[in-house]
Amino acid sequence: WDLVCQKRWQVPLEQTTYLLGWGLGYVGFGAACDRFGRRAAFISPLMLSIPLGVAVALAVNYVMMALLRLFFGAMLAGTFLSLYVARLELCDPPHRLVVTMGAGFCWVFGELLLPGLAAACKEWRLLQGAITLGLALPALCYWCPSLFPESARWLLATCQLERGRRALRSLAEGNGLFLEDDFYTAEHLLAEEPTSLSEELPQPRFHHLWEIFCTRVIWKNSLILGFTAFIGSGIRHCFTRNLAPYPPHFYLPYFLVTTGEAAALLFLCLTVDRFGRRPVLLLSTILMGISALLLLALTPYLMAWLILAVSVLGILTSQTVTALSIFFASEVLPTVVRGAGLGLILAASTVGLAATPLLDIHPSRGFFLHHVVFASFAILSVLSIMLLPETSGRPLPDSMREGESQRRPPLFRSTRCRRDHLPLLSPRSGDGAYDPASYARLVTATKKMLGAHSGSDAQLRMELLPEPPPHDSPAEGM
């Protein structure tokens, strides 16, 4: 449609519309993910994306293409979000990071293949058709539950016991583990809710998006991580803009950003499990803010190679902040609202990404203000990260109560032990607030101590009291 010269502004406008579709899809399908399940929220947008992709390839004008791309982006966002959540909930704590980062490497591999596919197609309609064909291949296997299983964690967290039993049995038998039927009883599946066990099974209970805003800790953690994800995505334009003078003008920024994403994922794989989520996020945010401030204040005085090095460092750290914020949020949010909460955070990240095409509409306007605002936000987010809890090696929270019970660890660990480690009162990680065995031992030991103490006091009083004088018998007086 000759989108050049006077119509050039329509290209970044279409990109902004496409990202808007991703944001709407994150919010909408995130809520559907908590209401209808991870599998339904994955299959539905995947099936709808195929006719929408074909319609985009057959669009007859610009307006039709922009609107269809908006809905197409929403379907892709729903597929990505539900798959992200379901994959996370299938993993145990030691493998959550590796599996999630491995899926991120697959995403990066697809981004690296996209320019070659575009060069092979040489026409955007053929490229859109090739992408739609790639979506149709997994859609053909929707009938196979073993390829797209429902999250057993979500089923049990929402008290859907029958479906939870079937899901757990299918996973166990798929791994070659055959358990007795007693393992799948309600007492085992709902061990954390003994009050709900009665003659009748508890009814399924679903949570909604607005319940996040009624909490204190969950809303605070979501707000902080959404803020950092927004900054990490939005500030990236401040660094990629400095790559424009270097040839090739189109491919260098694209491949540098994509390889930077792969390097960021590799850095997270090597550091996050060892040092923790919060310290790595804090370090990455500090480096990102320093890079932005250096470019903001000293760009006219720095050499070209130094500007390029600081820009590359900023790209790497911004990718790290975005990826870790999303992963951190998926671990902090409870299962019953994980889809909706993570959808909000991913939508905030998409809003930050939309800053790049918006600034491209008028390249000479607004860049300095954008740089100042996001550099200031990066410094502000450093202080807010201190309020986050640490989730490394911990199980995922399932209920709203578990999500509210997360507290941030102390900033500095004390070298002196100030806690009295009594054998009878030693804390154990697996016990709850009340342990009958420990309480019984405590009562028995206390009684023995009190008995021994009272016996020793009686003996001491016997020794300290003077002996009474002997009374003369009547026979001796006579």
Side-chain angles (χ1 to χ4, degrees):
W1 295 298
D2 297 329
L3 302 181
V4 294
C5 299
Q6 295 181 352
K7 294 183 179 181
R8 185 180 179 182
W9 60 273
Q10 295 183 6
V11 176
L13 180 62
E14 185 274 331
Q15 296 173 353
T16 306
T17 306
Y18 180 64
L19 291 175
L20 177 62
W22 276 80
L24 295 176
Y26 282 139
V27 176
F29 284 102
C33 196
D34 292 331
R35 179 60 182 84
F36 303 104
R38 285 39 170 154
R39 175 179 166 82
F42 173 74
I43 297 296
S44 299
L46 181 62
M47 300 298 293
L48 292 175
S49 64
I50 298 174
L52 285 172
V54 175
V56 170
L58 301 177
V60 296
N61 54 46
Y62 172 80
V63 176
M64 180 180 177
M65 184 196 68
L67 291 177
L68 289 175
R69 288 266 294 173
L70 184 144
F71 293 110
F72 184 68
M75 298 303 110
L76 295 181
T79 304
F80 175 83
L81 173 62
S82 56
L83 189 61
Y84 191 102
V85 174
R87 181 176 57 240
L88 182 84
E89 294 177 348
L90 283 174
C91 300
D92 55 341
H95 298 94
R96 282 200 304 256
L97 177 69
V98 177
V99 173
T100 304
M101 296 301 112
F105 282 116
C106 296
W107 178 277
V108 172
F109 181 71
E111 289 182 331
L112 292 175
L113 289 180
L114 187 60
L117 184 62
C121 294
K122 297 182 180 179
E123 176 69 28
W124 72 268
R125 296 181 187 273
L126 296 178
L127 178 61
Q128 180 66 34
I131 295 174
T132 306
L133 180 62
L135 294 172
L137 294 178
L140 294 176
C141 304
Y142 77 96
W143 52 267
C144 186
S146 60
L147 292 179
F148 309 110
E150 184 57 88
S151 173
R153 180 182 292 273
W154 174 77
L155 292 173
L156 297 179
T158 54
C159 298
Q160 303 182 64
L161 298 185
E162 291 300 328
R163 295 181 61 190
R165 288 192 187 102
R166 292 195 298 267
L168 287 177
R169 190 184 296 273
S170 176
L171 290 174
E173 294 177 356
N175 292 323
L177 185 62
F178 298 91
L179 302 174
E180 299 179 357
D181 294 336
D182 294 340
F183 179 80
Y184 301 102
T185 59
E187 288 78 4
H188 285 88
L189 298 180
L190 294 179
E192 297 181 357
E193 298 183 7
T195 57
S196 64
L197 297 178
S198 58
E199 296 180 358
E200 297 182 358
L201 294 178
Q203 295 297 322
R205 184 172 183 270
F206 303 100
H207 296 260
H208 303 281
L209 175 62
W210 55 81
E211 294 186 31
I212 298 177
F213 304 101
C214 301
T215 60
R216 187 174 63 88
V217 178
I218 297 175
W219 170 239
K220 178 202 68 176
N221 296 334
S222 302
L223 185 64
I224 294 174
L225 292 171
F227 184 56
T228 55
F230 167 73
I231 295 170
S233 300
I235 204 173
R236 200 170 304 152
H237 182 70
C238 303
F239 307 121
T240 56
R241 184 184 175 93
N242 296 318
L243 305 177
Y246 298 93
H249 301 289
F250 174 77
Y251 292 102
L252 179 63
Y254 181 85
F255 282 108
L256 191 57
V257 170
T258 306
T259 54
E261 186 176 358
L265 295 176
L266 181 61
F267 172 74
L268 293 178
C269 289
L270 298 176
T271 58
V272 168
D273 275 342
R274 182 170 183 176
F275 300 104
R277 277 65 165 157
R278 195 175 67 154
V280 176
L281 181 60
L282 182 63
L283 174 64
S284 303
T285 307
I286 291 174
L287 293 178
M288 180 182 67
I290 291 175
S291 301
L293 290 176
L294 286 176
L295 293 177
L296 180 64
L298 303 177
T299 296
Y301 311 102
L302 295 178
M303 293 176 286
W305 66 269
L306 191 56
I307 294 176
L308 179 62
V310 175
S311 300
V312 172
L313 177 62
I315 291 172
L316 292 175
T317 52
S318 64
Q319 297 274 15
T320 304
V321 168
T322 303
L324 185 53
S325 297
I326 296 171
F327 176 70
F328 202 169
S330 65
E331 292 187 323
V332 168
L333 291 165
T335 301
V336 292
V337 291
R338 183 169 291 122
L342 192 60
L344 288 177
I345 293 170
L346 286 169
S349 175
T350 305
V351 172
L353 286 175
T356 300
L358 285 175
L359 291 175
D360 287 340
I361 297 177
H362 296 288
S364 60
R365 300 179 185 178
F367 175 73
F368 179 77
L369 179 61
H370 170 268
H371 201 154
V372 171
V373 170
F374 275 91
S376 304
F377 282 170
I379 302 303
L380 179 62
S381 65
V382 173
L383 302 177
S384 62
I385 291 174
M386 301 290 188
L387 304 176
L388 294 173
E390 181 57 58
T391 59
S392 179
R394 297 182 180 179
L396 295 175
D398 290 329
S399 62
M400 301 293 286
R401 182 180 60 184
E402 293 178 3
E404 283 290 289
S405 63
Q406 299 180 97
R407 295 292 184 269
R408 63 180 181 89
L411 184 59
F412 301 104
R413 295 183 178 180
S414 177
T415 57
R416 298 175 59 186
C417 183
R418 299 181 180 180
R419 182 179 295 180
D420 296 331
H421 294 285
L422 299 178
L424 293 172
L425 299 178
S426 59
R428 285 186 279 177
S429 59
D431 295 340
Y434 171 73
D435 186 5
S438 298
Y439 183 74
R441 289 195 300 269
L442 177 63
V443 171
T444 303
T446 305
K447 288 181 179 179
K448 289 181 179 180
M449 288 169 40
L450 292 176
H453 183 69
S454 60
S456 61
D457 287 348
Q459 183 178 1
L460 182 61
R461 285 195 301 268
M462 292 290 293
E463 294 177 357
L464 294 178
L465 289 177
E467 296 183 358
H471 298 283
D472 296 337
S473 63
E476 293 179 354
M478 293 177 64

